[in-house]
Amino acid sequence: MASGVPTLASEEALDRDLAVRDLQDNETTAQEEKHAPIETPQHVTSSTQSPASMENRLRPATDIINRIIWDSNYDSANYIIGYEDRFEGRLEVGIGSWKRESTDEEFIPQHRVLYIKRKSDGEIMWDRRRRIDKVFLSGNSAFDFLAFLS
């Protein structure tokens, strides 16, 4: 053993050490690539970006429902929620009878809400598909509201 010839145990230890070093090197390289600055091509400017990238995000139905229920400027009895039922298709229910608790038997998930409409004049106040929000002016409604600036 003292003759300088490596033993099987020392070869396995050496292989293990090399494997650990390789993994550490790979992790370091991955972290450096992850934090490296992203280069933007010189020909791309803010004026050439697509309108979709500048699009305003639509507020979720939960925000609209909570605003109508809790804001004294809105009469919650005057609003209807249109939603997609899995078996019966498109249905409407008043905000007062809307079940928001997930443990309730009649609970309807928020992703099924299609629109929120005012009863008195039939005006759509929020619509997921058309991206209309006349409560918070999010989605496409923000651009309609600010159109006079251009």
Side-chain angles (χ1 to χ4, degrees):
M1 298 286 161
S3 64
V5 177
T7 63
L8 184 61
S10 64
E11 287 179 5
E12 289 176 357
L14 182 61
D15 288 343
R16 188 176 44 232
D17 289 341
L18 290 174
V20 168
R21 286 185 192 146
D22 285 343
L23 284 174
Q24 290 172 341
D25 288 344
N26 289 342
E27 288 175 4
T28 304
T29 305
Q31 288 176 353
E32 290 171 356
E33 290 174 358
K34 184 177 177 182
H35 296 294
I38 299 172
E39 294 182 20
T40 306
Q42 295 298 326
H43 66 278
V44 176
T45 61
S46 60
S47 62
T48 61
Q49 289 180 348
S50 67
S53 66
M54 299 185 313
E55 196 167 7
N56 192 12
R57 293 182 62 102
L58 183 67
R59 297 285 290 258
T62 308
D63 290 354
I64 309 302
I65 293 169
N66 285 333
R67 174 85 180 262
I68 291 172
I69 289 172
W70 297 106
D71 191 339
S72 61
N73 294 328
Y74 294 95
D75 177 19
S76 62
N78 193 27
Y79 290 90
I80 296 173
I81 299 175
Y83 66 96
E84 189 74 34
D85 185 76
R86 292 185 347 185
F87 305 108
E88 298 180 30
R90 190 172 296 180
L91 298 175
E92 291 183 342
V93 65
I95 283 191
S97 58
W98 182 256
K99 305 298 183 197
R100 299 185 314 163
E101 184 62 41
S102 61
T103 57
D104 198 334
E105 191 173 309
E106 297 173 4
F107 172 73
I108 299 162
Q110 296 296 316
H111 69 272
R112 296 203 180 274
V113 176
L114 300 173
Y115 60 88
I116 298 173
K117 179 170 63 172
R118 191 167 39 213
K119 280 186 203 177
S120 59
D121 58 1
E123 184 177 7
I124 300 291
M125 299 301 289
W126 184 88
D127 189 317
R128 180 186 311 277
R129 293 188 178 138
R130 291 186 283 168
R131 298 186 44 80
I132 296 172
D133 174 9
K134 296 181 181 176
V135 176
F136 288 103
L137 295 177
S138 67
N140 293 341
S141 299
F143 294 120
D144 293 342
F145 182 71
L146 298 173
F148 69 90
L149 293 175
S150 36

